[in-house]
Amino acid sequence: QVQLQQSGPGLVKPSQTLSLTCAISGDSVSRDSAAWNWIRQSPSRGLEWLGRIYYRSKWYVDYGTSVKSRITINPDTSKNQFSLQLNSVTPEDTAVYYCLRGQWLVRTLQYYFDNWGQGTLVTVSS
Amino acid sequence: DIQLTQSPSSLSASVGDRVTITCRASQSISDYLNWYQQKPGKAPKLLICAASGLHSGVPSRFSGSGSGTDFTLTISTLQPEDFATYYCQQSYNAPYTFGQGTKLQIK
């Protein structure tokens, strides 16, 4: 059974960097039919996909439109985990952040999110 | 980015009712549409993928349909544990986007 365990601070000061880590058990960050995503949820923005990494002989990354200039998602194969860094945060970045697994249906391009971390409330405030 | 609009935003119903939630996409997305259920304080859970495919372990009272721009999620006979918020999500292309949610409340 796949489990995703998130860790990281719940309070970040404006203009600083938000950093979260997601440890994977029951699966591998480099399995070639999965992708590893970050999503956030806030009352003002709803559910917002931030980005993903996946491995297909090499690492690929995709980022969401609103955060593309500030975000980095990295794998750590030695620890079987992946991380999120969001730079230059403002109070608008206050949200519950989730890490999650994405998968493709066999022999299709259908992509869905089937395992989620527990969520981390990150508040941006001085 | 593809926009998804759900209707209604909230809905009151009773145990045993049949309920339908609609999701409309801003462009054609074929059948690249998933549905999730979220309860307070919890992460969303996958219900339906590829518009009509029931995810493993999800009760058969949940069903999905649609293609192109218009999709529906139907709960055939509401159970007490079904009162939650429901989201659609498109997987046609990145960035993946979600609807704003439909909150299903007890009447």
Side-chain angles (χ1 to χ4, degrees):
Chain A
Q1 180 167 344
V2 177
Q3 289 193 326
L4 303 177
Q5 182 66 41
Q6 299 176 218
S7 60
L11 180 64
V12 181
K13 289 182 166 47
S15 79
Q16 294 192 343
T17 297
L18 181 161
S19 296
L20 295 173
T21 299
C22 184
I24 304 164
S25 57
D27 202 344
S28 169
V29 71
S30 51
R31 180 167 63 89
D32 65 3
S33 54
W36 305 95
N37 301 255
W38 290 96
I39 282 176
R40 66 183 177 183
Q41 185 173 29
S42 65
S44 59
R45 303 174 78 102
L47 285 162
E48 181 181 14
W49 181 78
L50 301 177
R52 67 177 174 187
I53 55 164
Y54 58 98
Y55 187 75
R56 300 287 184 275
S57 302
K58 67 174 185 176
W59 288 102
Y60 292 87
V61 63
D62 297 307
Y63 294 134
T65 306
S66 68
V67 295
K68 187 172 276 191
S69 63
R70 300 190 289 132
I71 189 174
T72 304
I73 298 176
N74 281 319
D76 183 342
T77 56
S78 66
K79 295 182 179 178
N80 199 31
Q81 62 187 29
F82 62 108
S83 64
L84 167 70
Q85 287 193 310
L86 188 65
N87 302 325
S88 305
V89 296
T90 72
E92 288 289 303
D93 294 309
T94 294
V96 176
Y97 286 75
Y98 292 100
C99 65
L100 53 158
R101 183 177 74 175
Q103 293 208 93
W104 284 267
L105 275 177
V106 175
R107 293 186 299 276
T108 76
L109 295 177
Q110 296 284 355
Y111 181 71
Y112 55 92
F113 305 123
D114 66 345
N115 276 275
W116 298 59
Q118 79 274 23
T120 302
L121 173 60
V122 178
T123 301
V124 179
S125 174
S126 55
Chain B
D1 298 4
I2 296 172
Q3 306 301 315
L4 297 179
T5 304
Q6 290 182 230
S7 60
S9 296
S10 63
L11 175 60
S12 295
S14 302
V15 173
D17 284 354
R18 179 184 179 89
V19 166
T20 297
I21 297 168
T22 296
C23 178
R24 175 163 288 175
S26 59
Q27 67 178 72
S28 178
I29 57 172
S30 184
D31 62 349
Y32 288 80
L33 195 284
N34 305 319
W35 290 96
Y36 300 83
Q37 176 195 66
Q38 186 178 32
K39 295 183 178 179
K42 301 292 188 181
K45 290 186 177 180
L46 179 66
L47 297 175
I48 302 280
C49 60
S52 59
L54 198 65
H55 185 56
S56 175
V58 175
S60 59
R61 62 181 180 273
F62 291 92
S63 64
S65 65
S67 184
T69 60
D70 295 313
F71 301 86
T72 58
L73 172 70
T74 300
I75 310 172
S76 59
T77 308
L78 269 177
Q79 299 300 304
E81 61 269 28
D82 299 337
F83 291 95
T85 301
Y86 293 84
Y87 295 93
C88 57
Q89 173 250 323
Q90 64 82 17
S91 63
Y92 185 75
N93 58 23
Y96 303 114
T97 49
F98 291 82
Q100 82 280 14
T102 295
K103 187 172 184 178
L104 179 54
Q105 303 175 94
I106 300 174
K107 185 183 286 184

